């Protein structure tokens, strides 16, 4: 089954937009509070749950996936792992990310080798993804942990060249990320430039903590936006995005 990849491709080719809620297991505190949030999220037009983080102090990934699937039966769970330890066969798919914006060999291929046998046994969908870190105005945890220098936020030609290299390597999805809690999201210039050159589902995240920023990312060409800290601190943001997406889909039809 290719349920997740088909849904991503449908979002990309139809011109509709999608939203994913990124859940960091390190922020997981109370199962009761989390279940309440999931019940609210289940009412919204969320397309995917992303699950992962730069650090995992307590590996409760399988527990979190089980709870998501209990409450939100129809919403796929996609692993967004910081390393090979952040794996659970209970997920529907995995962003098999290669950090093509950096020069850390462990995140280009090393962690992938460790994870490959587990993925083969699991049978889950594998989404080969070119992951590009963009400077969002401060050093974030993902920059520190990955030990890589992010791409500049106002030189789109560098991001385009990097994305093209990923395309020629056969990567099928692209993720532009300013990092969790970044003061500034990925610039619209970069999103537009990459979108013009890469005919593939384009995911954008980091610093998207308001509806205006999310609208700008969509208008620039993002197919799927990822909301992390913004949703955790303000669940109303998911409501606002859901209402916006519903209105655009109604207009399109």
């Amino acid at each position: 089954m290719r349920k997740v990849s088909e849904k991503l491709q449908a979002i990309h080719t139809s011109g509709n937009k999608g939203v994913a809620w990124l859940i960091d297991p390190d922020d997981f505190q109370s199962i009761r509070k989390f279940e309440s949030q999931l019940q609210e999220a289940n009412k919204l037009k969320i397309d995917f749950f992303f699950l992962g983080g730069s650090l995992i102090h307590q590996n409760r990934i399988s527990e979190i996936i089980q709870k998501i699937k209990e409450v939100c039966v129809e919403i796929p769970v996609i692993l967004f792992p910081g390393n090979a330890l952040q794996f659970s066969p209970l997920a529907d798919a995995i962003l098999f990310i290669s950090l093509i914006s950096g020069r850390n060999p462990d995140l280009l291929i090393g962690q992938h080798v460790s994870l490959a046998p587990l993925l083969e046994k699991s049978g889950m969908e594998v989404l080969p993804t070119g992951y590009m870190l963009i400077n969002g105005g401060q050093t974030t945890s993902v920059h520190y942990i990955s030990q890589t220098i992010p791409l500049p936020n106002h030189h789109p030609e560098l991001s385009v060249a990097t994305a093209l290299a990923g395309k020629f390597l056969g990567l099928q999805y692209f993720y532009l990320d300013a990092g969790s809690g970044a003061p500034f999201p990925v610039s619209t210039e970069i999103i537009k430039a990459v979108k013009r050159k890469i005919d593939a589902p384009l995911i954008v995240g980091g610093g998207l903590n308001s509806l205006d920023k999310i609208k700008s990312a969509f208008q620039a060409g993002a197919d799927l936006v990822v909301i992390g800290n913004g949703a955790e601190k303000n669940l109303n943001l998911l409501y606002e995005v859901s209402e916006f997406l519903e209105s655009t889909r109604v207009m399109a039809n």
Side-chain angles (χ1 to χ4, degrees):
M1 294 180 63
R2 294 179 54 81
K3 178 176 66 173
V4 174
S5 57
E6 288 176 359
K7 186 171 183 177
L8 280 168
Q9 287 293 342
I11 290 171
H12 169 62
T13 57
S14 68
N16 287 324
K17 304 297 182 179
V19 60
W21 181 7
L22 171 60
I23 298 172
D24 186 337
D26 281 337
D27 295 329
F28 184 73
Q29 299 175 353
S30 162
I31 191 71
R32 182 176 298 178
K33 179 181 178 182
F34 184 56
E35 185 171 355
S36 175
Q37 290 176 325
L38 289 177
Q39 288 170 349
E40 292 298 315
N42 203 30
K43 302 173 186 177
L44 309 177
K45 300 298 180 181
I46 294 174
D47 295 280
F48 306 101
F49 286 105
F50 281 10
L51 183 59
S54 301
L55 290 170
I56 299 292
H57 296 297
Q58 295 182 346
N59 195 340
R60 304 177 69 180
I61 290 177
S62 291
E63 179 186 359
I64 294 171
I65 294 173
Q66 287 177 327
K67 181 52 65 176
I68 292 173
K69 289 183 173 294
E70 285 176 16
V71 180
C72 305
V73 179
E74 300 297 326
I75 305 177
V77 179
I78 303 177
L79 293 177
F80 175 36
N83 57 57
L85 297 176
Q86 298 177 30
F87 175 76
S88 169
L90 300 180
D92 298 293
I94 183 171
L95 292 178
F96 204 48
I97 55 176
S98 184
L99 183 53
I100 56 176
S101 63
R103 300 296 181 267
N104 184 337
D106 199 39
L107 299 177
L108 283 168
I109 189 61
Q111 292 289 327
H112 310 67
V113 173
S114 300
L115 192 53
L118 296 175
L119 282 175
E120 184 186 33
K121 291 178 183 178
S122 73
M124 76 168 57
E125 286 188 67
V126 178
L127 309 174
T129 304
Y131 184 60
M132 299 164 57
L133 284 175
I134 311 296
N135 191 335
Q138 71 179 23
T139 300
T140 64
S141 57
V142 67
H143 299 153
Y144 179 80
I145 294 299
S146 68
Q147 292 294 292
T148 60
I149 300 173
L151 291 163
N153 211 347
H154 298 289
H155 287 281
E157 68 279 3
L158 295 176
S159 293
V160 168
T162 303
L164 284 172
K167 171 188 173 182
F168 296 142
L169 283 169
L171 298 173
Q172 299 173 25
Y173 307 86
F174 291 85
Y175 193 146
L176 304 176
D177 193 1
S180 178
F184 307 106
V186 178
S187 71
T188 55
E189 292 85 356
I190 285 180
I191 298 173
K192 289 176 182 177
V194 172
K195 184 71 172 182
R196 282 195 295 266
K197 292 291 186 178
I198 303 297
D199 184 17
L202 182 60
I203 305 166
V204 178
L208 296 174
N209 54 11
S210 73
L211 182 59
D212 286 341
K213 291 178 181 179
I214 291 167
K215 285 182 178 179
S216 293
F218 280 141
Q219 290 164 359
D223 295 305
L224 182 75
V225 299
V226 181
I227 305 174
N229 283 343
E232 291 166 14
K233 296 176 181 178
N234 178 16
L235 201 60
N236 286 335
L237 180 59
L238 288 177
Y239 280 97
E240 292 174 358
V241 177
S242 176
E243 290 177 356
F244 170 72
L245 289 178
E246 185 65 16
S247 67
T248 59
R249 289 166 184 170
V250 169
M251 290 173 62
N253 294 328

